[in-house]
């Protein structure tokens, strides 16, 4: 019999043991790992970043390759063409009246031809000698690769392991040769603006470092163990510098761009890069990148690896640790991640992988989007090409928005700022485009956007005509307020952007034969012809006017509130069509066999809030009919969007099914007989868990992460809905730190499919209604106080 005095000591001992075990299993659970080097950049290399720079390391035995890109390195723009005109066509608006008349007469073909001829933007101009595909429109650019040859060369090794720990945002490679251990670590530190790579070995080793780039190298130098390369992008002469500082116990020599290190047991490389780009219309140049580089490396130079890592942890962990997610069930983190992914596709239960993929989205956002950096582009901050797919630009008819869906709800509000900065920078060029193409007030952007204010209608139809991009982007400006409740931000930054975005629609919408306001001409993204009213335009116009109304009320701007309300309420509402579908166009022409990846007419369901099962059940039902008809299979981002759609339709099982389709090995198929093929090209995720459109496109990762949050917590209807779409296959679990609009942080615990407890902290006092399985509870919150609820409260 254990004497009682020892009992409490034993309990304390075991609980410490348990929490260490839990922390270890959590840490182990939040790792990607592989038992061999990467050979394929897109499918296998592992991403690290410090917000400014996105790098991929390969873990090659004989030679390490670190490919990197700095977000502001772009070809194109004013530097690529002295007549660069932001794509604008000054007198395009003169044809608007005629186009509208043709549409009213049902002459859609003629109307479309006239738009194509007179109302699309200037195609990219390529000057002589320009080897890029995108001319003066430009493309985000790779900066190059740092190659680090290891003296032992490509030899057989033992215990090879390549890992990416997203809990601590550090990559590692380790192996041994005849009992001698070799280790490498890689991380990006935002506060210091540097990337840090460390190589250690039990016995002395030699290394050869070389920087290679497709850009123009103007000058390479090496002084005080600091390498520097100053160069420029050939197509627009955009200048940049990349430099690294060495700290080593070895002997160092430099010849012609190549650094060799002899007899070293430790080699620390502190790396950085910057460009002359500034996000300022109309020149976008003039950044003093050389002094930035010097300041960063001077500051880092005196610090030990441990200190550099400590600063990184003190920056990264408080952000990442805001949200933890645990599901009860099996986890296969004993398997290399690529094997694990296959086992998961073949039916193995692995809730650990489902947790990991959710948190991976948050890791990638912290690595790619921090205050003061460029926003994430189609590939976040990771790009190894001078001609990346779709220019690795900022597409605004789904992609750029999806990239930022997790920012607020998964408690990374700061990571939203680069997008808001970018949106703010588009207002001025966007006003010019609104004037030139439509003779309206306000500002527009269309589908494709570069780093140089290309806000014009793009140069091809139907994909290029999409002025709604501006108002949809502006939803993010509003959401940042809706979650943070930062009134100063609303007054000084958000509201001015919102008012201008709303003004475009107040001027552009015209009455149809029934007096409803419609968007004519308009195109539903990327399929179907010209229309007298694409539903997505109406839903986005409704959204920006509705958000502007709420903002005007908060800021007591009565006059503008009246205007936007009046216009909002005259917009043609969502229509239910002949087969019960939600109409994609004013005309009831939806084809039930259409499987197109864009499901634009469901914007009002997600990320909009005009349609919800709670408030508009018929429309929600029609949205379901449309979604069923569209089917599940689709491109990476479209799968990500569908996770969110089914979550908003409160169907957790279907949302989980789509989530699993995002995680599956890219292109893998299972025949009806159960035969599995891993050779195909298709959506899903690559072995490094980056999303496949295909090719690699980061939006799918973010859409999926946001989708998981949407399954567990929703707040778009004004109420806080707890576990609105909990899948049966997640019977027991917990998530903490999710955010709800209105300034709430929510921790949830559930068991056997039922809510067990909910903890809610309010940033602001006031009443709010909570909903669980249709039952509601209103609470008068006092800011800062923690509220505990359980099933019995509903
Ligand atoms: C839109 C989508 C494509 C692709 C591209 C980057 O054009 O329709 O599927 O994602 O963006």
């Amino acid at each position: 019999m254990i004497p009682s005095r020892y009992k409490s000591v034993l309990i304390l001992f075991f609980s410490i043991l348990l929490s260490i075990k839990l922390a270890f299993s959590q840490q182990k659970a939040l790792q990607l790992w592989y038992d061999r080097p990467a050979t394929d950049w897109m499918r296998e290399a592992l991403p690290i970043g410090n917000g400014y720079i996105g790098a991929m390391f390969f873990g090659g035995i004989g030679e390490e390759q670190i490919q990197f890109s700095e977000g502001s390195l772009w070809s194109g723009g004013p530097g690529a063409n002295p007549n660069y005109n932001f794509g604008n066509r000054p007198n395009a608006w003169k044809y608007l009246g005629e186009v509208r008349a043709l549409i009213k007469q049902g002459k859609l073909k003629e109307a479309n031809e006239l738009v194509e001829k007179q109302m699309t933007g200037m195609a990219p101009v390529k000057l002589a000698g320009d080897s890029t595909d995108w001319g003066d429109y430009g493309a985000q650019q790779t900066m190059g690769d740092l190659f680090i040859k290891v003296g032992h060369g490509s030899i057989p090794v033992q215990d090879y392991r390549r890992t990416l720990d997203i809990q601590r945002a550090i990559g590692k490679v380790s192996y041994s040769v005849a009992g001698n251990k070799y280790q490498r670590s890689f991380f990006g530190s935002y506060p210091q603006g540097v990337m840090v790579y460390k190589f250690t070995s039990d016995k002395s080793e030699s290394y050869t470092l070389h920087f290679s780039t497709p850009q123009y190298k103007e000058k390479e130098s090496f002084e005080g163990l600091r390498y520097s390369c100053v160069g420029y992008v050939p197509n627009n002469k955009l200048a940049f510098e990349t430099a690294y500082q060495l700290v080593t116990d070895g002997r160092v020599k430099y010849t012609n761009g190549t650094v060799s290190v002899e007899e070293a047991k430790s080699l620390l490389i502190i790396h950085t890069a910057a460009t002359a780009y500034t996000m300022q219309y109309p020149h976008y140049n003039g950044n003093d990148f050389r002094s930035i580089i010097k300041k960063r490396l001077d500051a880092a130079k005196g610090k030990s690896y441990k200190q550099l890592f400590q600063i990184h942890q003190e920056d990264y962990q408080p952000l990442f640790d805001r949200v933890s997610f645990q599901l009860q069930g099996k986890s296969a983190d004993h398997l290399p991640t690529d094997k694990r992914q296959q086992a998961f596709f073949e039916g193995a239960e692995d809730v650990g992988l489902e947790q990991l993929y959710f948190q991976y989205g948050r890791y990638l956002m912290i690595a790619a989007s921090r205050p003061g950096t460029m926003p994430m582009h189609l590939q976040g901050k990771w790009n190894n090409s001078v001609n990346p797919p779709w220019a690795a630009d900022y597409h605004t008819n789904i992609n750029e928005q999806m990239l930022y869906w997790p920012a607020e709800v998964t408690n990374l509000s700061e990571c939203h700022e680069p997008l808001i900065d970018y949106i703010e920078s588009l207002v001025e060029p966007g006003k010019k485009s609104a004037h030139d193409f439509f003779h309206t007030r306000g500002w527009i952007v269309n589908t494709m956007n570069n780093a140089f204010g290309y806000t014009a209608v793009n140069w091809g139809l139907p994909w290029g005509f999409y002025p709604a991009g501006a108002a949809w982007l502006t939803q993010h400006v509003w959401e940042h307020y809706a979650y943070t409740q930062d009134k100063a931000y609303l007054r000084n930054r958000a509201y001015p952007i919102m008012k201008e975005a709303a003004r475009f629609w107040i001027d552009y919408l015209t009455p149809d034969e029934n007096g409803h306001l419609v968007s004519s001409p308009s195109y539903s993204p990327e399929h179907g012809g010209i229309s007298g009213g694409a539903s997505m335009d109406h839903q986005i116009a409704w959204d920006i006017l509705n958000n502007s109304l709420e903002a005007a009320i908060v800021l007591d701007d009565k006059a503008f509130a009246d205007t936007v309300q009046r216009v909002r309420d005259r917009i043609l509402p969502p229509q239910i069509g002949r087969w019960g579908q939600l109409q994609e166009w004013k005309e009831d022409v939806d084809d039930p066999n259409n499987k197109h990846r864009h499901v634009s007419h469901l914007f009002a369901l997600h990320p909009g809030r005009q349609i919800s099962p709670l408030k508009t059940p018929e429309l929600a039902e029609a949205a379901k009919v449309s979604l069923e008809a569209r089917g599940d299979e689709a491109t990476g981002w479209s799968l990500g969007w569908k996770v969110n759609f089914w979550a908003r339709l409160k169907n957790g099982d279907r949302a989980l099914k789509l989530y699993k389709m995002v995680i599956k090995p890219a292109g893998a198929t299972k025949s009806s007989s159960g035969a599995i093929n891993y050779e195909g090209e298709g959506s899903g995720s690559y072995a490094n868990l980056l999303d496949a459109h295909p090719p690699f496109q980061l939006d799918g990762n973010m859409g999926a992460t946001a989708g998981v949050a949407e399954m567990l917590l929703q707040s778009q209807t004004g109420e806080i809905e707890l576990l609105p779409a909990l899948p049966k296959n997640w019977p027991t679990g917990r998530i903490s730190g999710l955010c709800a609009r209105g300034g709430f942080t929510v921790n949830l615990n559930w068991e056997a499919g039922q809510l067990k407890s909910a903890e809610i902290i309010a940033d602001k006092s006031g009443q709010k209604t909570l909903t669980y399985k249709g039952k509601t509870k209103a609470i008068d919150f006092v800011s800062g106080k923690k509220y505990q609820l359980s099933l019995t409260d509903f």
Side-chain angles (χ1 to χ4, degrees), residues 378 390 395 397 399 447 526 597-598 635 637 693 697 699:
L378 285 168
W390 292 283
H395 266 58
N397 64 1
N399 316 82
T447 304
E526 309 208 18
R597 61 190 181 283
H598 284 270
T635 57
W637 62 260
H693 171 278
Q697 224 168 274
D699 41 23

Side-chain angles (χ1 to χ4, degrees), residues 322-324 409 411 712-715 720-723 734-741 743-749 755 757-762 770 781 787 789:
R322 286 182 188 159
V323 172
S324 86
V409 68
N411 216 330
L712 303 174
L713 184 75
Q714 287 174 28
S715 60
I720 298 179
E721 295 179 71
L722 309 178
L723 304 178
R734 61 184 182 164
I735 192 157
S736 61
L738 289 184
C739 297
R741 295 169 183 83
F744 296 89
T745 307
V746 181
N747 308 333
L748 296 167
N749 258 292
L755 178 72
S757 69
E759 226 170 41
I760 312 211
I761 304 114
L770 306 176
F781 286 92
Y787 294 77
L789 292 109

